[in-house]
Amino acid sequence: QQQVKQSPQSLIVQKGGISIINCAYENTAFDYFPWYQQFPGKGPALLIAIRPDVSEKKEGRFTISFNKSAKQFSLHIMDSQPGDSATYFCAASDLYGGSQGNLIFGKGTKLSVKP
Amino acid sequence: EPEVTQTPSHQVTQMGQEVILRCVPISNHLYFYWYRQILGQKVEFLVSFYNNEISEKSEIFDDQFSVERPDGSNFTLKIRSTKLEDSAMYFCASSERGQEGNSPLHFGNGTRLTVT
């Protein structure tokens, strides 16, 4: 029940296309859903995050869509660029339950954007 | 922009040896964390630390592991007797507040631990 399932494992998109990565969770206590971007040799960096009181959050080319009833959330990268090539991790946490930094990560999606 | 720094970047040790992984969190941050990532697998939470004590730990964080903030700037992870399965990338992270209030985790670049 603590798992976050992420798909696809890898994704190849043409420059200018839309990249879509999906995550699903079981624990209804999760109330914080961040996405992290990781480049080779670097630590994960927070990209965008959402709380379950909204269904969508947009920051520039990055959008999180959240479906509470389906317990799913997704990352959309519009106008994908070669510089977006990285590994993307979704995560979830139970903040209201007092979790302090215990993020449950998905297994990651390796995105390659072809020029 | 302030960063979380970790040393060393790569540590090779023999099975059964003790290792200490070091981290310097961002200076005004109050919450500190260790995560690990076994090669090709997901990032896993180990422990969170606040006000000089562990606030939360995972089942991975057994008696072989300990954390310490020996001074005002360093945050360390000690593995007492390393096992082959401890080989992983270890990430330190810090946040200004707890995760509520939109205080994101800032990760360092990791220490790659190889146990032979």
Side-chain angles (χ1 to χ4, degrees), chain A residues 32 36 38 41-44 46 89 93 95 99-103 105-107, chain B residues 31 33 35 37 42-43 45 48 55-56 91 98-100 104-105 107-109:
Chain A
Y32 175 68
Y36 281 82
Q38 185 181 30
K42 300 290 186 181
L46 179 66
F89 293 94
S93 184
L95 292 189
S99 172
Q100 292 295 340
N102 183 353
L103 288 169
F105 280 84
K107 289 189 174 182
Chain B
Y31 292 78
Y33 315 89
Y35 281 76
Q37 185 178 27
K42 63 182 178 180
V43 179
F45 171 78
S48 59
S55 50
E56 192 173 359
F91 290 106
Q99 279 193 95
E100 69 279 2
L105 270 62
F107 284 83
N109 288 334

Side-chain angles (χ1 to χ4, degrees), chain B:
Chain B
E1 187 175 327
E3 291 183 338
V4 174
T5 56
Q6 290 185 244
T7 55
S9 57
H10 191 189
Q11 173 97 41
V12 181
T13 189
Q14 287 191 328
M15 192 167 54
Q17 295 296 305
E18 174 183 287
V19 292
I20 297 176
L21 309 183
R22 303 181 190 279
C23 169
V24 179
I26 295 173
S27 61
N28 64 331
H29 286 188
L30 300 177
Y31 292 78
F32 314 114
Y33 315 89
W34 284 100
Y35 281 76
R36 78 172 185 190
Q37 185 178 27
I38 294 172
L39 186 63
Q41 298 189 27
K42 63 182 178 180
V43 179
E44 298 174 294
F45 171 78
L46 293 178
V47 66
S48 59
F49 190 87
Y50 170 70
N51 200 25
N52 282 320
E53 61 183 27
I54 290 173
S55 50
E56 192 173 359
K57 62 181 180 179
S58 72
E59 53 194 34
I60 301 169
F61 194 87
D62 61 22
D63 292 344
Q64 297 282 20
F65 291 88
S66 62
V67 290
E68 193 178 30
R69 188 152 163 83
D71 53 44
S73 59
N74 290 285
F75 179 52
T76 62
L77 174 69
K78 182 193 290 186
I79 308 174
R80 287 189 185 81
S81 178
T82 50
K83 302 187 283 284
L84 293 176
E85 53 265 38
D86 293 328
S87 295
M89 182 73 86
Y90 287 81
F91 290 106
C92 174
S94 69
S95 64
E96 189 174 353
R97 302 177 296 278
Q99 279 193 95
E100 69 279 2
N102 298 316
S103 181
L105 270 62
H106 295 258
F107 284 83
N109 288 334
T111 293
R112 179 167 296 285
L113 176 65
T114 301
V115 182
T116 61

Side-chain angles (χ1 to χ4, degrees), chain A residues 31-65:
Chain A
D31 56 8
Y32 175 68
F33 303 90
W35 284 88
Y36 281 82
Q37 180 188 54
Q38 185 181 30
F39 292 105
K42 300 290 186 181
L46 179 66
L47 193 60
I48 187 172
I50 198 168
R51 302 293 295 268
D53 51 344
V54 297
S55 60
E56 187 175 280
K57 184 174 181 180
K58 184 175 180 179
E59 289 183 2
R61 296 184 294 110
F62 301 92
T63 299
I64 299 179
S65 296

